[in-house]
Amino acid sequence: MTKNAQNVFVAAINSDIGRQLALRYKAAGGHVSGTYRNPESIAQFQDEDGIDLLPCDISRSEDIEATAERFAKIGRPWNTFIGAVGQLAPIGPFFETDREEWAESVAVNSMNQLKLLHAIYPYRCQEGILKVAFLVGGGINNAFTNYSAYCVSKLLLIKMCELLDDEYPNVHAIAIGTG
């Protein structure tokens, strides 16, 4: 890998923002790997060289582990990680949402993205500064009424960025408010 080469890993490459970021990094000469949940959501990438597509239902721990194993086989260490996962459901006041669906949303929107980052961390570039970015939307600076699971998940990611920056001098972690 050349000094300035970007090897980007995008969790949820099939999201609107994930797709656009992947195409921009590729156009700039980078190589991109990314996860997707539904095969029909990646049709726009089928003819794209330089983009590795990794099936992963981020709500399933076994998929996260399998994704890390498939990524390791690609043999291209990442130096940029982008968490573009965002599931708004359940939508409604906290006590009126299903508590299991609420907990799963928190897992998908934060904990499982962190599990994925943790799982692929051994397959990072060993030189230079690693870039980690999580996309965080509504509710960062105010209430995000009826979207409590999504909101608290993104707040967790913001705090985790602070911790990663503090614990690892070679990791530059940021949360990007997309809303």
Side-chain angles (χ1 to χ4, degrees), residues 3-32:
K3 183 177 181 183
N4 295 325
Q6 289 294 305
N7 288 327
V8 181
F9 189 101
V10 181
I13 197 169
N14 57 314
S15 68
D16 289 340
I17 295 173
R19 179 177 49 253
Q20 291 304 314
L21 288 170
L23 293 173
R24 286 178 186 237
Y25 275 107
K26 182 183 172 287
H31 187 88
V32 180

mmCIF file of all heavy atoms in Angstrom, residues 3-32:
data_model
loop_
_atom_site.group_PDB
_atom_site.id
_atom_site.type_symbol
_atom_site.label_atom_id
_atom_site.label_comp_id
_atom_site.label_asym_id
_atom_site.label_seq_id
_atom_site.Cartn_x
_atom_site.Cartn_y
_atom_site.Cartn_z
ATOM 1 N N LYS A 3 1.833 5.200 0.542
ATOM 2 C CA LYS A 3 1.632 6.034 1.722
ATOM 3 C C LYS A 3 0.258 6.706 1.736
ATOM 4 O O LYS A 3 -0.377 6.808 2.771
ATOM 5 C CB LYS A 3 2.738 7.078 1.796
ATOM 6 C CG LYS A 3 2.657 7.935 3.029
ATOM 7 C CD LYS A 3 3.792 8.913 3.108
ATOM 8 C CE LYS A 3 3.681 9.741 4.363
ATOM 9 N NZ LYS A 3 4.688 10.751 4.470
ATOM 10 N N ASN A 4 -0.216 7.184 0.604
ATOM 11 C CA ASN A 4 -1.470 7.930 0.558
ATOM 12 C C ASN A 4 -2.669 7.096 0.125
ATOM 13 O O ASN A 4 -3.761 7.620 -0.002
ATOM 14 C CB ASN A 4 -1.327 9.144 -0.361
ATOM 15 C CG ASN A 4 -0.331 10.147 0.196
ATOM 16 O OD1 ASN A 4 -0.233 10.336 1.396
ATOM 17 N ND2 ASN A 4 0.426 10.766 -0.677
ATOM 18 N N ALA A 5 -2.473 5.794 -0.129
ATOM 19 C CA ALA A 5 -3.582 4.956 -0.577
ATOM 20 C C ALA A 5 -4.623 4.832 0.522
ATOM 21 O O ALA A 5 -4.292 4.654 1.689
ATOM 22 C CB ALA A 5 -3.076 3.577 -0.978
ATOM 23 N N GLN A 6 -5.868 4.929 0.138
ATOM 24 C CA GLN A 6 -6.962 4.768 1.084
ATOM 25 C C GLN A 6 -7.583 3.391 0.868
ATOM 26 O O GLN A 6 -8.029 3.068 -0.225
ATOM 27 C CB GLN A 6 -8.026 5.845 0.875
ATOM 28 C CG GLN A 6 -7.589 7.222 1.291
ATOM 29 C CD GLN A 6 -7.370 7.309 2.790
ATOM 30 O OE1 GLN A 6 -8.237 7.000 3.582
ATOM 31 N NE2 GLN A 6 -6.179 7.726 3.173
ATOM 32 N N ASN A 7 -7.578 2.598 1.896
ATOM 33 C CA ASN A 7 -8.295 1.336 1.915
ATOM 34 C C ASN A 7 -9.406 1.515 2.931
ATOM 35 O O ASN A 7 -9.170 1.534 4.134
ATOM 36 C CB ASN A 7 -7.371 0.174 2.273
ATOM 37 C CG ASN A 7 -6.425 -0.138 1.132
ATOM 38 O OD1 ASN A 7 -6.773 0.006 -0.027
ATOM 39 N ND2 ASN A 7 -5.226 -0.553 1.459
ATOM 40 N N VAL A 8 -10.587 1.671 2.394
ATOM 41 C CA VAL A 8 -11.740 2.099 3.178
ATOM 42 C C VAL A 8 -12.673 0.925 3.418
ATOM 43 O O VAL A 8 -12.960 0.156 2.500
ATOM 44 C CB VAL A 8 -12.502 3.226 2.450
ATOM 45 C CG1 VAL A 8 -13.684 3.714 3.257
ATOM 46 C CG2 VAL A 8 -11.563 4.369 2.111
ATOM 47 N N PHE A 9 -13.144 0.815 4.644
ATOM 48 C CA PHE A 9 -14.152 -0.177 5.003
ATOM 49 C C PHE A 9 -15.414 0.591 5.369
ATOM 50 O O PHE A 9 -15.384 1.435 6.270
ATOM 51 C CB PHE A 9 -13.685 -1.014 6.195
ATOM 52 C CG PHE A 9 -14.584 -2.188 6.476
ATOM 53 C CD1 PHE A 9 -14.224 -3.454 6.068
ATOM 54 C CD2 PHE A 9 -15.788 -2.012 7.146
ATOM 55 C CE1 PHE A 9 -15.052 -4.539 6.316
ATOM 56 C CE2 PHE A 9 -16.622 -3.090 7.397
ATOM 57 C CZ PHE A 9 -16.259 -4.354 6.989
ATOM 58 N N VAL A 10 -16.509 0.315 4.666
ATOM 59 C CA VAL A 10 -17.772 1.017 4.911
ATOM 60 C C VAL A 10 -18.810 0.022 5.418
ATOM 61 O O VAL A 10 -19.223 -0.879 4.679
ATOM 62 C CB VAL A 10 -18.305 1.705 3.634
ATOM 63 C CG1 VAL A 10 -19.611 2.444 3.926
ATOM 64 C CG2 VAL A 10 -17.277 2.634 3.027
ATOM 65 N N ALA A 11 -19.207 0.172 6.666
ATOM 66 C CA ALA A 11 -20.318 -0.609 7.202
ATOM 67 C C ALA A 11 -21.591 0.019 6.660
ATOM 68 O O ALA A 11 -21.819 1.209 6.848
ATOM 69 C CB ALA A 11 -20.312 -0.597 8.728
ATOM 70 N N ALA A 12 -22.389 -0.757 5.940
ATOM 71 C CA ALA A 12 -23.611 -0.297 5.267
ATOM 72 C C ALA A 12 -23.279 0.491 4.005
ATOM 73 O O ALA A 12 -23.742 1.609 3.797
ATOM 74 C CB ALA A 12 -24.531 0.488 6.189
ATOM 75 N N ILE A 13 -22.498 -0.144 3.143
ATOM 76 C CA ILE A 13 -22.124 0.473 1.872
ATOM 77 C C ILE A 13 -23.360 0.719 1.001
ATOM 78 O O ILE A 13 -23.339 1.568 0.112
ATOM 79 C CB ILE A 13 -21.081 -0.391 1.131
ATOM 80 C CG1 ILE A 13 -20.373 0.427 0.041
ATOM 81 C CG2 ILE A 13 -21.708 -1.658 0.566
ATOM 82 C CD1 ILE A 13 -19.159 -0.268 -0.549
ATOM 83 N N ASN A 14 -24.427 0.002 1.272
ATOM 84 C CA ASN A 14 -25.649 0.138 0.487
ATOM 85 C C ASN A 14 -26.537 1.294 0.945
ATOM 86 O O ASN A 14 -27.520 1.618 0.288
ATOM 87 C CB ASN A 14 -26.450 -1.161 0.513
ATOM 88 C CG ASN A 14 -26.795 -1.589 1.920
ATOM 89 O OD1 ASN A 14 -25.946 -1.583 2.800
ATOM 90 N ND2 ASN A 14 -28.027 -1.962 2.142
ATOM 91 N N SER A 15 -26.186 1.952 2.055
ATOM 92 C CA SER A 15 -26.943 3.139 2.456
ATOM 93 C C SER A 15 -26.643 4.266 1.468
ATOM 94 O O SER A 15 -25.629 4.228 0.771
ATOM 95 C CB SER A 15 -26.560 3.569 3.876
ATOM 96 O OG SER A 15 -25.232 4.058 3.906
ATOM 97 N N ASP A 16 -27.495 5.255 1.404
ATOM 98 C CA ASP A 16 -27.278 6.355 0.461
ATOM 99 C C ASP A 16 -25.923 7.024 0.680
ATOM 100 O O ASP A 16 -25.164 7.226 -0.260
ATOM 101 C CB ASP A 16 -28.393 7.404 0.578
ATOM 102 C CG ASP A 16 -29.725 6.902 0.043
ATOM 103 O OD1 ASP A 16 -29.731 5.938 -0.749
ATOM 104 O OD2 ASP A 16 -30.763 7.477 0.421
ATOM 105 N N ILE A 17 -25.615 7.363 1.926
ATOM 106 C CA ILE A 17 -24.340 8.024 2.213
ATOM 107 C C ILE A 17 -23.186 7.056 2.026
ATOM 108 O O ILE A 17 -22.151 7.411 1.456
ATOM 109 C CB ILE A 17 -24.348 8.639 3.627
ATOM 110 C CG1 ILE A 17 -25.398 9.754 3.707
ATOM 111 C CG2 ILE A 17 -22.970 9.173 3.998
ATOM 112 C CD1 ILE A 17 -25.598 10.319 5.102
ATOM 113 N N GLY A 18 -23.334 5.815 2.484
ATOM 114 C CA GLY A 18 -22.290 4.814 2.315
ATOM 115 C C GLY A 18 -21.928 4.606 0.856
ATOM 116 O O GLY A 18 -20.751 4.521 0.483
ATOM 117 N N ARG A 19 -22.934 4.529 0.005
ATOM 118 C CA ARG A 19 -22.716 4.336 -1.432
ATOM 119 C C ARG A 19 -21.955 5.518 -2.034
ATOM 120 O O ARG A 19 -20.975 5.347 -2.759
ATOM 121 C CB ARG A 19 -24.058 4.145 -2.148
ATOM 122 C CG ARG A 19 -23.924 3.971 -3.656
ATOM 123 C CD ARG A 19 -25.263 3.702 -4.349
ATOM 124 N NE ARG A 19 -26.320 4.634 -3.977
ATOM 125 C CZ ARG A 19 -27.348 4.341 -3.186
ATOM 126 N NH1 ARG A 19 -27.478 3.136 -2.668
ATOM 127 N NH2 ARG A 19 -28.259 5.248 -2.905
ATOM 128 N N GLN A 20 -22.387 6.725 -1.706
ATOM 129 C CA GLN A 20 -21.724 7.907 -2.261
ATOM 130 C C GLN A 20 -20.277 8.022 -1.782
ATOM 131 O O GLN A 20 -19.382 8.362 -2.564
ATOM 132 C CB GLN A 20 -22.506 9.170 -1.923
ATOM 133 C CG GLN A 20 -23.838 9.274 -2.642
ATOM 134 C CD GLN A 20 -23.694 9.179 -4.148
ATOM 135 O OE1 GLN A 20 -22.829 9.820 -4.747
ATOM 136 N NE2 GLN A 20 -24.512 8.346 -4.773
ATOM 137 N N LEU A 21 -20.039 7.736 -0.515
ATOM 138 C CA LEU A 21 -18.669 7.776 0.001
ATOM 139 C C LEU A 21 -17.801 6.719 -0.678
ATOM 140 O O LEU A 21 -16.658 6.993 -1.060
ATOM 141 C CB LEU A 21 -18.655 7.592 1.517
ATOM 142 C CG LEU A 21 -19.177 8.773 2.324
ATOM 143 C CD1 LEU A 21 -19.347 8.385 3.789
ATOM 144 C CD2 LEU A 21 -18.251 9.975 2.189
ATOM 145 N N ALA A 22 -18.332 5.519 -0.830
ATOM 146 C CA ALA A 22 -17.581 4.446 -1.488
ATOM 147 C C ALA A 22 -17.188 4.851 -2.907
ATOM 148 O O ALA A 22 -16.036 4.663 -3.322
ATOM 149 C CB ALA A 22 -18.413 3.163 -1.507
ATOM 150 N N LEU A 23 -18.117 5.393 -3.651
ATOM 151 C CA LEU A 23 -17.830 5.788 -5.036
ATOM 152 C C LEU A 23 -16.820 6.929 -5.088
ATOM 153 O O LEU A 23 -15.950 6.958 -5.964
ATOM 154 C CB LEU A 23 -19.129 6.150 -5.754
ATOM 155 C CG LEU A 23 -20.089 4.977 -5.972
ATOM 156 C CD1 LEU A 23 -21.426 5.467 -6.526
ATOM 157 C CD2 LEU A 23 -19.479 3.910 -6.867
ATOM 158 N N ARG A 24 -16.894 7.849 -4.147
ATOM 159 C CA ARG A 24 -15.926 8.957 -4.110
ATOM 160 C C ARG A 24 -14.522 8.464 -3.773
ATOM 161 O O ARG A 24 -13.551 8.897 -4.377
ATOM 162 C CB ARG A 24 -16.369 10.035 -3.125
ATOM 163 C CG ARG A 24 -17.516 10.862 -3.643
ATOM 164 C CD ARG A 24 -17.960 11.883 -2.615
ATOM 165 N NE ARG A 24 -19.144 12.554 -3.077
ATOM 166 C CZ ARG A 24 -19.234 13.862 -3.219
ATOM 167 N NH1 ARG A 24 -18.226 14.632 -2.910
ATOM 168 N NH2 ARG A 24 -20.347 14.405 -3.648
ATOM 169 N N TYR A 25 -14.422 7.587 -2.770
ATOM 170 C CA TYR A 25 -13.104 7.040 -2.429
ATOM 171 C C TYR A 25 -12.529 6.252 -3.600
ATOM 172 O O TYR A 25 -11.342 6.354 -3.911
ATOM 173 C CB TYR A 25 -13.179 6.152 -1.180
ATOM 174 C CG TYR A 25 -13.072 6.904 0.113
ATOM 175 C CD1 TYR A 25 -14.183 7.100 0.926
ATOM 176 C CD2 TYR A 25 -11.852 7.418 0.547
ATOM 177 C CE1 TYR A 25 -14.085 7.784 2.121
ATOM 178 C CE2 TYR A 25 -11.740 8.105 1.742
ATOM 179 C CZ TYR A 25 -12.857 8.289 2.520
ATOM 180 O OH TYR A 25 -12.757 8.971 3.710
ATOM 181 N N LYS A 26 -13.367 5.481 -4.263
ATOM 182 C CA LYS A 26 -12.909 4.709 -5.415
ATOM 183 C C LYS A 26 -12.456 5.634 -6.533
ATOM 184 O O LYS A 26 -11.393 5.433 -7.131
ATOM 185 C CB LYS A 26 -14.006 3.781 -5.915
ATOM 186 C CG LYS A 26 -13.558 2.923 -7.077
ATOM 187 C CD LYS A 26 -14.715 2.072 -7.584
ATOM 188 C CE LYS A 26 -14.332 1.376 -8.844
ATOM 189 N NZ LYS A 26 -14.261 2.254 -10.005
ATOM 190 N N ALA A 27 -13.219 6.672 -6.816
ATOM 191 C CA ALA A 27 -12.861 7.631 -7.871
ATOM 192 C C ALA A 27 -11.544 8.336 -7.561
ATOM 193 O O ALA A 27 -10.812 8.721 -8.473
ATOM 194 C CB ALA A 27 -13.983 8.658 -8.060
ATOM 195 N N ALA A 28 -11.230 8.477 -6.278
ATOM 196 C CA ALA A 28 -9.976 9.126 -5.867
ATOM 197 C C ALA A 28 -8.807 8.141 -5.832
ATOM 198 O O ALA A 28 -7.717 8.494 -5.398
ATOM 199 C CB ALA A 28 -10.157 9.775 -4.500
ATOM 200 N N GLY A 29 -9.045 6.908 -6.274
ATOM 201 C CA GLY A 29 -7.971 5.921 -6.339
ATOM 202 C C GLY A 29 -7.896 4.978 -5.162
ATOM 203 O O GLY A 29 -6.971 4.178 -5.061
ATOM 204 N N GLY A 30 -8.861 5.053 -4.265
ATOM 205 C CA GLY A 30 -8.858 4.162 -3.112
ATOM 206 C C GLY A 30 -9.487 2.824 -3.427
ATOM 207 O O GLY A 30 -10.082 2.621 -4.488
ATOM 208 N N HIS A 31 -9.305 1.913 -2.519
ATOM 209 C CA HIS A 31 -9.979 0.628 -2.607
ATOM 210 C C HIS A 31 -10.993 0.566 -1.482
ATOM 211 O O HIS A 31 -10.701 0.989 -0.359
ATOM 212 C CB HIS A 31 -9.001 -0.545 -2.490
ATOM 213 C CG HIS A 31 -9.680 -1.844 -2.757
ATOM 214 N ND1 HIS A 31 -9.784 -2.359 -4.008
ATOM 215 C CD2 HIS A 31 -10.341 -2.676 -1.930
ATOM 216 C CE1 HIS A 31 -10.469 -3.492 -3.956
ATOM 217 N NE2 HIS A 31 -10.821 -3.702 -2.695
ATOM 218 N N VAL A 32 -12.168 0.030 -1.768
ATOM 219 C CA VAL A 32 -13.266 0.053 -0.811
ATOM 220 C C VAL A 32 -13.795 -1.359 -0.584
ATOM 221 O O VAL A 32 -13.972 -2.120 -1.534
ATOM 222 C CB VAL A 32 -14.415 0.962 -1.325
ATOM 223 C CG1 VAL A 32 -15.571 0.979 -0.330
ATOM 224 C CG2 VAL A 32 -13.911 2.366 -1.597
#
